[in-house]
Amino acid sequence: MTNEEMIGKVLDNIEKVMIGKREIAELSLTALLSGGHVLLEDVPGVGKTMLVKALAKSIGADFKRIQFTPDLLPSDVLGVSIYNPKEMQFEFRPGPILGNIILADEINRTSPKTQSALLESMEESSLTVDGETIRIPQPFFVMATQNPIEYEGTYPLPEAQLDRFLFKLKMGYPSKTEEVEVLRRAVEEVAVEKLDSVITLTNLRELQQAAKAVTVDDTVKSYIVDCATATREDPDIYLGVSPRGSLALMKGCQAFALGKGRTYVTPDDVQYLAPFVFGHRIILKPEARFQGVSTAMILDRVLADVRVPVDRSRFLR
């Protein structure tokens, strides 16, 4: 199978249980292939947990779910060392973070201390317990969810921690036709637990390496930087996109191009992914928010003002 065919099989498999959410599934898989993580913000009951389970099942990965609550401790996530009197030594009992696909459910409901423990693991792909560094098995992908409606008793992620996520996505409600199909499949018991793996973890690692090899011409790199710079200079933006955001966009574009069967990144890839990468990395000025200006509106304007490279022959090299 080609790389494009393997990615297509994973998406088709997810669609057996996820109706009308192929774009979100494609973006989630893109994040996984680029080594990034996803923050999924939406109301309960739209299929966030099912999406992550279906992705894990499709690639034969170890799936772990962490329900974040106000009393959750870092050791509940990372693991803890327990003294074994028989062996007369401490033994490490791993926490749920040591898996391949992690669902961090309602991450904004736990304390900043516990949030930091998770986000450190996301950044370094390792954890430190009692002074010992433990590597997390690869591939390692975190999808964190948060409810945008109920903010009472929550701990919003600060900008420095939001920056650790490659994409911030919203699933949205299904259409009437899609929701009827959801009900039909529920009657027929088309469950995520019945999904089979369509590729292996070895295949996935090969896809991740192939994504890194996708060509990004200097012209496209310059375009990515121009887009990020425009957010730093816009009069309505208080905090623009950092160089980490530019790097995240480039890696995301490489994985996205791979899924489209290409060995090179185009400016169209940049334009499509930029809102998902930049949206949670900028802060609007208070006066802009008071005027009802949204982040999406600002990004549309910023991207429209940046000159797009048009010499397509350069991208094919």
Side-chain angles (χ1 to χ4, degrees):
M1 282 191 297
T2 65
N3 294 332
E4 183 182 8
E5 287 172 342
M6 284 193 285
I7 292 172
K9 286 190 71 173
V10 173
L11 296 176
D12 291 342
N13 203 48
I14 293 174
E15 279 199 317
K16 291 179 180 178
V17 293
M18 292 294 300
I19 313 299
K21 301 299 180 185
R22 190 178 181 92
E23 181 186 33
I24 298 298
E26 183 179 34
L27 289 168
S28 300
L29 184 56
T30 296
L32 172 59
L33 294 179
S34 61
H37 308 281
V38 170
L39 178 62
L40 193 53
E41 184 178 75
D42 220 320
V43 296
V46 292
K48 300 186 291 292
T49 301
M50 183 176 290
L51 170 62
V52 191
K53 281 186 176 180
L55 178 58
K57 281 276 189 181
S58 299
I59 63 176
D62 183 26
F63 171 75
K64 300 288 182 64
R65 181 178 183 272
I66 308 172
Q67 179 63 55
F68 283 86
T69 56
D71 60 347
L72 197 72
L73 300 174
S75 58
D76 296 326
V77 175
L78 305 179
V80 64
S81 293
I82 299 176
Y83 185 72
N84 185 337
K86 184 177 180 180
E87 301 293 335
M88 299 184 67
Q89 62 182 10
F90 283 92
E91 295 179 350
F92 176 66
R93 302 290 177 87
I97 194 66
L98 288 173
N100 297 127
I101 307 294
I102 310 297
L103 173 61
D105 211 2
E106 295 190 288
I107 189 175
N108 58 331
R109 294 208 173 275
T110 196
S111 68
K113 186 176 183 179
T114 305
Q115 290 175 356
S116 298
L118 172 69
L119 295 167
E120 178 186 359
S121 301
M122 290 166 50
E123 181 71 13
E124 307 296 336
S125 291
S126 64
L127 54 95
T128 302
V129 178
D130 295 336
E132 181 181 353
T133 300
I134 302 170
R135 298 296 300 175
I136 297 176
Q138 297 298 315
F140 176 59
F141 173 70
V142 174
M143 180 173 282
T145 69
Q146 61 181 17
N147 184 347
I149 304 300
E150 299 172 354
Y151 282 108
E152 185 176 350
T154 63
Y155 304 87
L157 295 174
E159 283 67 32
Q161 294 183 356
L162 285 173
D163 205 31
R164 299 296 194 274
F165 291 96
L166 178 66
F167 297 145
K168 183 179 180 182
L169 307 177
K170 295 180 182 292
M171 295 191 72
Y173 288 114
S175 66
K176 179 179 178 179
T177 302
E178 291 167 350
E179 194 163 355
V180 169
E181 179 66 15
V182 170
L183 300 182
R184 185 187 68 79
R185 294 193 184 187
V187 172
E188 295 178 358
E189 296 184 344
V190 181
V192 66
E193 288 76 13
K194 296 182 180 180
L195 287 182
D196 295 322
S197 302
V198 292
I199 65 172
T200 65
L201 286 181
T202 300
N203 295 143
L204 181 67
R205 296 186 188 99
E206 292 170 352
L207 288 172
Q208 289 178 324
Q209 291 302 315
K212 293 178 182 178
V214 170
T215 301
V216 186
D217 187 79
D218 287 345
T219 304
V220 178
K221 291 176 184 174
S222 179
Y223 178 52
I224 291 173
V225 172
D226 287 343
C227 291
T229 301
T231 66
R232 303 166 197 164
E233 297 174 349
D234 190 277
D236 289 327
I237 296 178
Y238 174 72
L239 180 68
V241 175
S242 69
R244 180 188 288 155
S246 302
L247 181 61
L249 179 55
M250 185 185 75
K251 289 182 177 180
C253 287
Q254 287 177 296
F256 184 75
L258 182 74
K260 298 302 180 183
R262 286 187 271 106
T263 59
Y264 57 91
V265 172
T266 69
D268 288 340
D269 300 330
V270 177
Q271 290 180 325
Y272 174 67
L273 291 183
F276 303 112
V277 178
F278 286 175
H280 59 291
R281 287 181 161 91
I282 66 175
I283 301 177
L284 301 185
K285 291 182 177 178
E287 51 267 33
R289 294 200 303 269
F290 292 152
Q291 292 172 5
V293 178
S294 68
T295 300
M297 293 166 57
I298 294 293
L299 278 177
D300 286 344
R301 186 186 71 200
V302 167
L303 294 174
D305 290 342
V306 177
R307 181 181 175 275
V308 181
V310 294
D311 186 3
R312 190 174 184 273
S313 62
R314 291 178 57 89
F315 314 140
L316 306 179
R317 296 184 305 178

